[in-house]
Amino acid sequence: MTAARDTWTIASAADAARARAGLARLVADTGAPALDRARFLSALGVRLRHAVDAGGAELTVTAGPDGRLGIALGGPEPWRHTLVRSGALPGPQDEPHSEAMPDPQDAPHADELPDPQDEPHAEALPAPQEAPLAEALLSADEDAAAVLTSLAETEELLRLHREELHQTNQGVLALHAELEAAALAQRDLLDAERAARAEAENARRLLTFLANASAVLHASLDHEDILRRLPELLVPEYARHVDVWLVDDERTPPGDRAAATVTAARTGRPQHAGPHPGQLPGVDDLPASALFPDRPLLCLPLGGRTVQGVLTLAAPGERFDPDTTVMLLELARRAGIALENARQYEQHRDVAEALQRAQLTDLPAVPGLDLAARYLPATHGLNIGGDWYDAFSQPDGSVLTVIGDVTGHGLRAAVIMGQLRTALRAYAVEGNGPARILTLLHRMLRHQQPELYATCAIARFTPGEPEVVWAAAGHPPAVARDPRGEVRVLDAKPGIMLGVPLPYEYEEHTVELPAGSVLALYTDGLVERRAAGIDVGIDRLARAMQVLGAAELAKLDAAADALLRPMLHDSEHDDDICLLLCRTTIG
């Protein structure tokens, strides 16, 4: 079957309406959906309207045997479209099958188109006037109703999508709000963490300073040194300036101090004086000081068991920090304890030194024997010990020279040293020799002072005799120098220390010392150092005696000083030092 073809002249709106109505029937016969028919017919109507306005056009309709329907519209705006019976109609916006029409003068005229009657197998297309306009109008309403129904469904679907989008937006907004709240919470946590770290670092810094400052203050037993170190520790980080007032210091009366300082000393409570209340923990607030009206003052009692004084600090800035104040309160307490310990130590030291000086009597003037002695306290510790020397005459005219050392330091050692010295003189008055005296001292110390020991060396000089009798109890050996300058160490084995819990009888030894000889008796503080053994120190003493010159030997005090210089070149020693020089002369 060949294609059917017809051409309709569109010259007026009526022609356009009849053509649209006819094509509506043809399109309906294709079985296309109402929405697609409405789209096509709406597009056709627009183009027919434009064709009428432009003066008319020819509309060619071709119905193929394969169900295709071709529409071609001439005129100023040529248009061509193809419809398929069994497929969906393309929309006017797509127009995949639309082609531009050739120029109207190039299009074949109506009489040139093949007449359907010349094609025996063609089906005639209905003429436009044969299409009832009323029916076409109703069909158009049906299509419009279908379009409106589809539009309503689309609007409902759009509404549902809009509500879903709104809910999604609300969820997104809520999520954003939660994220923002989480970010704010995280920022607050970070700020809190930074603040906590800063507080912890500040606490660590304050505790470190407190520990170091306490170590410095307690390392000294000189209260003047402690008073000097306090400003060095606190200025300028913790105070602009520092004043330390001891309550028993008569050099500065209370009237020259700030009222808050005096109040702190009287009440024993920390005081803050400033133009504004400090509100510091554990501190009372007072009005500003007349001495410093614009500068806050912090007055802290230096307290141990009793208030030693007041530490007055001027604020390094506008006010005192509360955490720093807590540290300063503890530092003042520890400084007060250090001051109390130092002053008690100084009192004990003064008593012990006075006792020891009382024991170190003047050396006697004896014919045929020159004597010189030196006593040096230890450079560390209490500066008082049990070292002593003594020299006195016996009833038979002989002279006993004694050097001794009680173990330990302090007041007890000085007291025991005095007891030994007194007992030794008592035993010597009875006519006992050096060995017997040491035996009696050993027995006494064992019974009266258990767990306390001492060393001692005794040398007896007899006028007119060149020999010297000596005995030692655990004491370093004496060193002798003869008139020719030869030096020897009296290294005969000494007896045990005095007080060792064993019965013991000491032995006497004899050494020849012609006139002009020098015998050196000394305690271990002279020759013993931590870095070297005692034998090294004894050898050094022997060499120092050997190089003594004639001028130094002429005056024994000069010889004593000459011996101490090489022996104390390190200037510090951990033990007391006693040196007793004995030089024989022609009686």
Side-chain angles (χ1 to χ4, degrees):
M1 181 180 292
T2 60
R5 183 177 183 179
D6 197 2
T7 300
W8 302 334
T9 299
I10 307 300
S12 63
D15 295 337
R18 283 191 291 271
R20 184 185 184 285
L23 286 176
R25 294 183 60 190
L26 294 176
V27 172
D29 292 341
T30 64
L35 182 59
D36 292 339
R37 293 198 308 268
R39 286 177 176 171
F40 171 74
L41 292 174
S42 296
L44 177 64
V46 171
R47 282 171 171 77
L48 290 174
R49 166 63 67 182
H50 290 171
V52 172
D53 293 341
E58 297 293 334
L59 177 64
T60 301
V61 181
T62 304
D66 56 356
R68 290 180 178 272
L69 183 66
I71 298 93
L73 181 65
E77 298 179 3
W79 179 65
R80 179 180 293 171
H81 204 81
T82 300
L83 300 171
V84 181
R85 181 183 298 276
S86 58
L89 294 176
Q93 68 276 16
D94 305 327
E95 299 181 358
H97 303 290
S98 297
E99 298 180 3
M101 292 288 290
D103 193 81
Q105 61 263 22
D106 298 332
H109 294 285
D111 55 345
E112 296 176 357
L113 294 173
D115 193 343
Q117 297 176 357
D118 297 335
E119 298 177 3
H121 301 289
E123 293 182 1
L125 295 172
Q129 62 273 18
E130 294 178 359
L133 294 179
E135 182 181 348
L137 180 59
L138 291 176
S139 298
D141 288 341
E142 291 177 359
D143 293 342
V147 171
L148 292 176
T149 300
S150 176
L151 180 61
E153 293 175 353
T154 303
E155 288 180 347
E156 178 65 18
L157 183 61
L158 181 61
R159 185 186 64 81
L160 294 176
H161 287 317
R162 185 180 295 110
E163 290 181 358
E164 182 179 0
L165 179 61
H166 175 71
Q167 293 177 358
T168 303
N169 290 338
Q170 292 298 319
V172 171
L173 291 176
L175 178 61
H176 285 172
E178 292 179 0
L179 291 176
E180 184 177 0
L184 291 175
Q186 184 178 17
R187 185 178 64 186
D188 293 340
L189 289 176
L190 290 176
D191 292 341
E193 181 182 3
R194 281 192 289 267
R197 287 182 178 179
E199 291 180 1
E201 176 61 25
N202 184 56
R204 185 198 63 79
R205 181 180 61 85
L206 293 176
L207 288 175
T208 301
F209 171 79
L210 178 62
N212 294 336
S214 299
V216 170
L217 295 177
H218 285 278
S220 177
L221 289 174
D222 184 347
H223 82 279
E224 294 289 348
D225 182 59
I226 295 174
L227 297 179
R228 182 173 60 254
R229 288 178 182 270
L230 275 173
E232 296 175 356
L233 292 169
L234 296 172
V235 177
E237 184 173 1
Y238 298 104
R240 174 170 292 189
H241 66 82
V242 173
D243 177 70
V244 183
W245 174 46
L246 299 181
V247 294
D248 58 355
D249 187 0
E250 299 178 355
R251 294 172 296 180
T252 306
D256 296 338
R257 302 287 170 177
T261 301
V262 178
T263 302
R266 185 179 68 253
T267 62
R269 286 189 52 79
Q271 304 293 324
H272 173 271
H276 303 287
Q279 298 180 349
L280 301 174
V283 181
D284 298 337
D285 279 315
L286 293 176
S289 171
L291 299 177
F292 303 94
D294 300 327
R295 177 67 56 181
L297 296 181
L298 187 60
C299 305
L300 307 177
L302 296 171
R305 286 178 290 273
T306 59
V307 176
Q308 301 292 310
V310 178
L311 175 66
T312 301
L313 311 175
E318 296 298 326
R319 64 186 303 274
F320 286 98
D321 177 71
D323 292 338
T324 303
T325 301
V326 174
M327 182 275 293
L328 293 174
L329 288 171
E330 177 61 19
L331 179 63
R333 187 186 70 84
R334 298 186 183 187
I337 294 175
L339 280 172
E340 186 174 4
N341 292 338
R343 300 179 85 178
Q344 287 183 352
Y345 161 80
E346 290 169 353
Q347 293 175 357
H348 288 301
R349 180 196 60 193
D350 294 342
V351 172
E353 287 183 351
L355 178 60
Q356 190 168 43
R357 282 193 299 268
Q359 301 295 333
L360 301 177
T361 56
D362 296 335
L363 297 175
V366 180
L369 184 65
D370 292 338
L371 300 172
R374 293 291 184 270
Y375 171 79
L376 299 176
T379 55
H380 299 290
L382 190 58
N383 295 336
I384 187 67
D387 293 20
W388 92 96
Y389 64 84
D390 199 2
F392 55 91
S393 300
Q394 285 189 290
D396 60 0
S398 62
V399 177
L400 286 183
T401 57
V402 182
I403 196 85
D405 184 4
V406 178
T407 57
H409 288 80
L411 188 58
R412 184 178 181 220
V415 170
I416 298 303
M417 177 266 291
Q419 293 177 354
L420 287 177
R421 177 181 178 276
T422 302
L424 189 150
R425 285 200 170 208
Y427 296 144
V429 170
E430 296 177 356
N432 294 307
R436 181 59 180 169
I437 293 174
L438 291 178
T439 300
L440 294 174
L441 288 176
H442 174 62
R443 186 183 305 167
M444 180 199 77
L445 202 57
R446 281 176 55 202
H447 288 86
Q448 295 186 1
Q449 298 292 339
E451 299 182 358
L452 187 65
Y453 312 110
T455 65
C456 184
I458 304 174
R460 183 176 64 188
F461 295 85
T462 301
E465 295 183 7
E467 294 180 345
V468 175
V469 178
W470 64 276
H475 203 80
V479 179
R481 182 186 189 276
D482 64 20
R484 297 186 302 272
E486 295 182 1
V487 177
R488 55 177 171 166
V489 178
L490 306 185
D491 54 0
K493 183 178 180 180
I496 64 175
M497 294 179 65
L498 300 176
V500 174
L502 291 173
Y504 191 81
E505 296 287 337
Y506 293 88
E507 299 179 359
E508 291 184 347
H509 307 276
T510 303
V511 61
E512 186 175 351
L513 287 181
S517 298
V518 177
L519 180 68
L521 302 175
Y522 56 91
T523 57
D524 57 358
L526 181 67
V527 294
E528 189 174 24
R529 296 291 182 273
R530 292 182 180 179
I534 191 172
D535 293 336
V536 176
I538 294 173
D539 292 341
R540 187 166 57 176
L541 175 61
R543 290 193 301 271
M545 289 188 64
Q546 190 173 23
V547 299
L548 287 175
E552 295 167 335
L553 290 172
K555 191 173 182 180
L556 206 55
D557 283 330
D561 295 335
L563 287 177
L564 291 177
R565 279 193 295 269
M567 299 303 296
L568 302 180
H569 68 281
D570 53 1
S571 74
E572 290 191 357
H573 45 92
D574 299 328
D575 201 358
D576 303 336
I577 292 175
C578 268
L579 173 64
L580 178 60
L581 293 183
C582 311
R583 183 181 61 189
T584 58
T585 61
I586 300 176

